[in-house]
Structure formats: C-alpha cells, structure tokens
Amino acid sequence: MRRKNQRIERITTFHLVVGIDIAKEAHVAQATNFRGIVLSKRHLIFSNTIEGFEKLERWIVGIQEKHRLKGLIIGMEPTGHYGYNLANWLADKGKHVVMVNPATTKRNKENRDNSPSKSDPKDALVIADVVSRGYYYEYSRQAIVFQRLKTIMSDREFWVTNSVRLQNRIIRWLDIRFPEYFSVFKDWTCIRSLATLKEFPSPQDLASLSVSEVITGWREHMKRAGGSTGMQKAAQLIAQAKRSVGETTALDEAKQDLGRLFQEFERIVEILERIEKDIQVLLSEIPMANQLRSIGLGTICIAAILSGAGDLRQYAHGRQLLRKAGLNLAESTSGKRKGQIVLSKRGDATLRKYLYLATLQLVGNNPVFRQLHKNNVQVKQMKKHQSVFKLIGKLARIIIGIVVRGETFSPEKAAPIYTQAA
C-alpha cells in the first residue's frame, strides 16, 4: 500500500536484502542479493536483546563490505508483538525496514525448493525473496501521540472484553437463579436493577417483602427510589419472585459468587471511565480529531480510527484506508466462472470493526448518511448490510478528503443531488 509522502525505494543490483523470521526469544536472518542468491555462508541466529541486535548489525555490515553492496532493505513479518523492538531499533538506526504479509510468505514457501517443509531459516529466506520482488509495505513509526493513542485503545479493548465476559456471566446467573427477572428489567445494568441485585439478588429475598420494604432497600443505592415507577417495579418484582422457577440449591454460595462478579464489574466500569477521560485528553492534542467529530463520530470511534490508521495525512485516498482495515473487495473469477465478491479481511480487524460501528452511528444521527442509506435500500433495492458496507467506503473517502484538504465536514458536498433537491 503506497501512501502519501511515502519513501519508495527501487531494489537495485547494489542492494542487500535481509529477511528476518521473528520469534519470541531468538530471531533468524538470511541475506540475499536482488536476484535472491544467498550471500551468507550460514543463516544468523540472534537473540531478542541489544546484544543480539548489535550482532545482526555487524553481520549485515560484514556482508555489505564483502560484496560491495551500499543499499540495504530489511524485511520481516508483523508477527504479534515480538518484532516491535527490533523494527523500532533498526528504524532508529536509519535502516530501511519493510513488512511482509504472512499470507504472502505462506504462499511463496515452495517457490525455492518445491517443498512444503518449514523451518526458521527457510522462512527468513522466503521473506527475503518476497521483499526482493517488491511485495512489501513500509514500516514507519507514528508520531508519539498516535503511539500513545494506540496503546490506550489496546488497553481499552482488553477491559471491554473482560466487561463483556463478566456481563455474560451475570446474565447466566440470573437465567439460572431468577429467570423471570428480565420481564421486569429489560436492561439489568440500569440503576434500579443494580440496586435490586445488590439488595435482593434472589427470588427468595423478595417473595416475603412488601412494596415499601423493597423501595426502602433501593434507597441504600439510589436517590429517587420511590414514585409511581418505583412502586410499579417493586410490585412486579415481588409478583415474579413468588412464581419463580429459579434454582435454589447452594443459594448462599451463588449469592457470594454474584457479589464478587458485581465488585469486579464495577471496578472495570470505573477503569473504562478513566480510560475514556484519558482518550479525550489525547484527542485534544490531535487537530484532525475535530475534523472527524464534525462528521458526527463519537469519541471512541474517532480514537479507534486514529489508533488503527495512524496519521490520516499519510493516505492519499479513502481506498488506502479501506485496504488498511481489510475492507477492500476480493473476487475469484476464471473463464466462465464468476466467483462471489467478498471482503478481503486482510487488515486491522479492530479498525475494520470501528469503521463499521462508525457508519452505523452515522446512519442513525447524520442526515446525509441516513438519506444515502434510505436511497440504497428503497431505490437501489440493496439489503441493509450491503448499504452499510457501501457507506463505509463513502465514510473512508470523506475522512481522507477532509483531513488532506484541512476542512471540516460539509453536508452540501457530501450529499448527493437527489438529497439536495429534496
């Protein structure tokens, strides 16, 4: 993927091409010339430490001097987080570092020896071969603020996952112990529901109480516990508790389990609130965040897009943003056979998710996107999900367009002719 202002270096006869197979503790390197001829007597194994990095540098310099090669390009796969430190160290040293898609090396591993065998030295050699043919993308370190944003959003995703896991376990508890509960509270996370689960978690705790006693219990956890709504909910709870078919075995132990789940859930909610405040502070340091906000995007969607894509000024067109997220189209067609067109999904999964969520958000609150979606569904006879994915492309083009031109979102420019006429 070529980006705006990106360094494009042509591999020549004066280049040394180094392929590195990344692992947790020790990496393996192979060196070839531009034609793929191996220049090293033996592959290099070096540790994931400063001593290992310096060993790699001496090995590269030695091969360059021996074969009189002035140019250098180093390729590796983005294998989890194990290669970050090496790639950053090399980039800081001014070395030309590139990344190779793991799917590309997998498909090319039989080119050299016509064998499906796999080993670290062979993988390093395959990476070097792929780089020598130009199948790579540039590795570049983002500005500090984008690196901070990426780190904090990764942290948030971890806690969101834990929150969802806890919520599912609490729902499971209610399904077993008080299955009628959701006929009273559709959303168990509302204030009155949380107060109920803290004071009266099981039907047995409610069945013998009066409406006023339930409301008194709620007042320990909420300010406005009574009123017509409170009395109605309390009466419904008591009625459902009396006819509940929930499990009563080991009830004391189950209630202790629920208490621990609630403590952890509330702790994670506080963590996520603090993280969101930190995200808002970081976004205030990125001017383009206000441009995205002018479209109607929320704080989390903006942060996720910027953390996944980095500085949007490095992109020349929305298609590049879609490719980064794996939202570009892929088709398999041969002869008379026309294959199905699908999303490639070869990109950042988190960025892909939040571009989708951002588009759903805009369809709900942005008049232009709402009208576009309506036209796609009613006039063009698209299915709703097809319309949403089409609008993701529209959003990507708008995002890159306003950032590159330094503008804010203009409904007049984004709206089609039929919308303006209406």
Side-chain angles (χ1 to χ4, degrees):
M1 178 179 65
R2 294 187 178 185
R3 298 177 180 174
K4 189 177 180 182
N5 300 325
Q6 183 186 59
R7 174 176 64 172
I8 304 298
E9 183 176 342
R10 183 181 177 184
I11 298 177
T12 67
T13 57
F14 299 102
H15 268 85
L16 173 68
V17 181
V18 176
I20 302 177
D21 183 67
I22 300 296
K24 181 176 181 179
E25 297 179 354
H27 311 312
V28 177
Q30 290 271 31
T32 72
N33 64 8
F34 77 108
R35 290 187 177 181
I37 299 174
V38 180
L39 300 180
S40 53
K41 291 183 179 179
R42 190 176 182 278
H43 61 270
L44 175 72
I45 300 177
F46 62 100
S47 61
N48 192 21
T49 62
I50 186 63
E51 292 80 12
F53 298 171
E54 291 172 346
K55 178 181 178 182
L56 171 67
E57 185 177 35
R58 291 192 299 270
W59 181 75
I60 290 174
V61 170
I63 296 174
Q64 283 184 299
E65 291 177 350
K66 180 179 179 180
H67 296 276
R68 300 179 182 178
L69 300 173
K70 296 180 180 179
L72 172 66
I73 183 167
I74 303 172
M76 60 184 72
E77 291 177 336
T79 311
H81 58 277
Y82 298 134
Y84 287 163
N85 294 333
L86 175 60
N88 290 335
W89 188 84
L90 290 169
D92 290 342
K93 288 279 187 176
K95 309 297 184 184
H96 186 184
V97 181
V98 299
M99 292 290 166
V100 174
N101 192 312
T104 305
T105 58
K106 182 178 180 180
R107 291 185 177 90
N108 284 270
K109 69 178 180 179
E110 297 185 29
N111 289 351
R112 184 172 284 268
D113 58 2
N114 193 32
S115 170
S117 63
K118 185 183 185 306
S119 66
D120 292 344
K122 180 179 177 179
D123 287 348
L125 192 54
V126 172
I127 292 171
D129 284 342
V130 170
V131 171
S132 66
R133 293 198 297 274
Y135 301 139
Y136 59 82
Y137 59 93
E138 301 290 334
Y139 176 80
S140 59
R141 300 187 71 176
Q142 295 288 342
I144 296 297
V145 67
F146 290 102
Q147 293 184 46
R148 292 170 61 196
L149 190 60
K150 188 176 183 66
T151 300
I152 198 169
M153 284 303 295
S154 175
D155 184 30
R156 182 182 181 276
E157 284 295 299
F158 171 81
W159 291 110
V160 167
T161 300
N162 279 329
S163 174
V164 171
R165 186 179 294 116
L166 277 171
Q167 290 183 57
N168 288 339
R169 189 165 177 84
I170 292 171
I171 291 171
R172 175 184 178 273
W173 193 98
L174 289 169
D175 287 340
I176 295 173
R177 302 289 173 175
F178 198 169
E180 300 81 8
Y181 188 83
F182 295 105
S183 65
V184 181
F185 294 109
K186 301 297 182 184
D187 178 14
W188 69 268
T189 63
C190 70
I191 296 175
R192 197 180 299 276
S193 172
L194 294 176
T196 302
L197 293 175
K198 289 176 182 178
E199 283 294 315
F200 321 108
S202 70
Q204 290 71 24
D205 297 323
L206 285 161
S208 61
L209 298 180
S210 65
V211 170
S212 60
E213 287 175 326
V214 172
I215 292 175
T216 301
W218 282 342
R219 287 199 174 98
E220 296 291 325
H221 307 281
M222 56 187 300
K223 293 180 180 179
R224 299 181 62 182
S228 59
T229 301
M231 295 178 66
Q232 180 184 4
K233 289 293 184 183
Q236 289 176 350
L237 272 172
I238 294 169
Q240 293 296 341
K242 289 180 178 179
R243 59 190 295 272
S244 178
V245 295
E247 176 63 65
T248 59
T249 306
L251 188 57
D252 289 340
E253 289 76 10
K255 288 163 72 172
Q256 291 175 14
D257 176 35
L258 182 64
R260 288 188 288 267
L261 290 173
F262 264 114
Q263 288 178 2
E264 186 65 11
F265 174 70
E266 291 179 337
R267 185 178 74 89
I268 291 178
V269 168
E270 291 179 2
I271 290 173
L272 289 172
E273 289 174 351
R274 290 198 300 270
I275 288 176
E276 185 162 353
K277 290 179 181 178
D278 293 339
I279 289 172
Q280 290 173 345
V281 172
L282 274 177
L283 289 181
S284 68
E285 301 177 20
I286 306 175
M288 68 182 69
N290 289 328
Q291 294 174 280
L292 300 190
R293 194 172 281 111
S294 70
I295 306 173
L297 298 179
T299 299
I300 299 302
C301 282
I302 293 172
I305 291 170
L306 292 177
S307 67
D311 191 341
L312 295 173
R313 292 171 297 184
Q314 66 188 327
Y315 299 89
H317 195 278
R319 286 191 299 268
Q320 295 175 323
L321 180 59
L322 294 176
R323 186 174 291 276
K324 172 73 174 177
L327 287 166
N328 54 309
L329 299 179
E331 179 183 7
S332 177
T333 301
S334 177
K336 294 182 179 180
R337 181 182 65 83
K338 184 173 178 61
Q340 184 180 8
I341 299 176
V342 297
L343 295 176
S344 71
K345 294 187 179 179
R346 297 285 173 80
D348 189 316
T350 303
L351 177 61
R352 183 163 64 247
K353 179 180 80 170
Y354 279 99
L355 281 173
Y356 176 79
L357 294 176
T359 304
L360 289 181
Q361 186 181 94
L362 292 175
V363 168
N365 63 26
N366 186 301
V368 173
F369 277 81
R370 189 185 306 119
Q371 183 61 40
L372 286 168
H373 182 62
K374 181 179 178 181
N375 183 71
N376 287 341
V377 174
Q378 296 182 0
V379 179
K380 297 182 179 180
Q381 299 298 308
M382 289 184 182
K383 294 180 179 179
K384 289 184 178 180
H385 73 275
Q386 290 176 322
S387 173
V388 169
F389 279 102
K390 184 177 179 65
L391 292 176
I392 291 175
K394 177 80 170 178
L395 174 61
R397 292 191 296 274
I398 289 174
I399 286 174
I400 300 304
I402 63 176
V403 168
V404 170
R405 291 192 293 269
E407 302 173 349
T408 55
F409 176 71
S410 172
E412 294 76 19
K413 291 183 180 180
I417 296 175
Y418 59 80
T419 305
Q420 295 175 9

